[in-house]
Amino acid sequence: MQDEIKIVSAEALVFRLPLEKPVSTSFGTMLDRPAVFVRLEDDRGTVGWGEIWCNWPACGAEHRARLLVSDIAPRILWRSLPSPKDLWRELTAATEILVLQTGEVGPYAQVIAGFDMAYWDLTARRAGSSLAKAMSDMPAHQVRAYASGIHILDAERMVAVARSVGYRDFKVKVGFDFDRDLDLLRRLHADLRPGETLHADANQGFSAEQGRAFLRATDNLGLGWMEEPVRVDSDDVLWADLAGLTSTPLAGGENLIGEPAFQSAIASGSLSVIQPDAAKWGGPSGCFAVAQAARAAGRRYCPHFLGAGVGLVASAHILAAAGGDGMLEVDINPNLLRDAIVPRWPIVRQGWVDLPEGEGLGVEPDLQQLASFQTMRLVAEERS
């Protein structure tokens, strides 16, 4: 029987890190890196950490912090709480009408995901267990990691850097200029070394015809996968058509929200690689269930992540708990919000990273190192 757990404080901490070089995708450019950390503390003094997705729009981080403290926190403070999975379902159901009323399906899903992550961390620490061990009786102790966030124009240099620090798998962003991207991708493929793989991500940047053409043109490159070649809300007929055109596995999931959406994506069979983002939807509760369903259906679970260090470590734990041949996405662009965690993590060796040792996530954000980048701190601790 689970010990009675009462949360006495919920905090949202917002950080913004200026970028010397903007991060570009097919849909826009990030001029700074934001992060929203969730800090929960229970009546024993146990602390849990989570992260809320907030990459876009640029003003979204502060809004999500306010949403956590003003709307979600009052629902959980000072009451006896159920297991993380049960509480995630409760909060999701309790906010369904608000999502309809406000149209903010994304912000609510992201805030609940970040809260769920922090609550899992807290409960695992409280039980003296790692997060992966709290989710699975036999988690892996290490996971395969791939280097991400690589713009096609910088790919030659960045792949070399990633290789030098231990990565053996690389994902390149395409969808900017069809012919140029294709030419550069072919050059990268020709330069791969034994045991290395190359993946491509269009961030929904191609039309249906462009997607078909790109998949045909890259079919002989042995790509690990092609991610989001077209809009994720394209109908099942188009996705099936794309999957039938190529031997390259199709990947997606970071922009799906809700269990029905993932169930449909897994059942359709068009996506060979399922990629939920634990800070964007589901937290560990939802994403672990998706991972299990994906694996049962013969798909790969490869968590999406492009944020700060807390969510990255949580993604590694979920992947380790799920098992299989999935890979952890690690953005290799400079990012103090990712690196400012203690103890230092990740350290990549021959494409693999060990899970942090210790209870819960096994790491905490280094708030002293991040202090100059903090733009907001909101605290909810009054009795509801």
Side-chain angles (χ1 to χ4, degrees), residues 344-355:
R344 178 191 170 202
W345 190 90
I347 299 173
V348 186
R349 297 184 179 90
Q350 297 296 315
W352 293 85
V353 295
D354 293 330
L355 258 64

Side-chain angles (χ1 to χ4, degrees), residues 12 45 75 80 83 91 123 134 154 196 214 217 220-221 224 283 289-290 362 382:
R75 300 172 188 272
S80 296
S83 68
L91 291 173
T123 56
D154 302 319
E196 295 182 342
F214 203 83
N220 64 338
L221 298 185
V290 166
E382 292 80 10

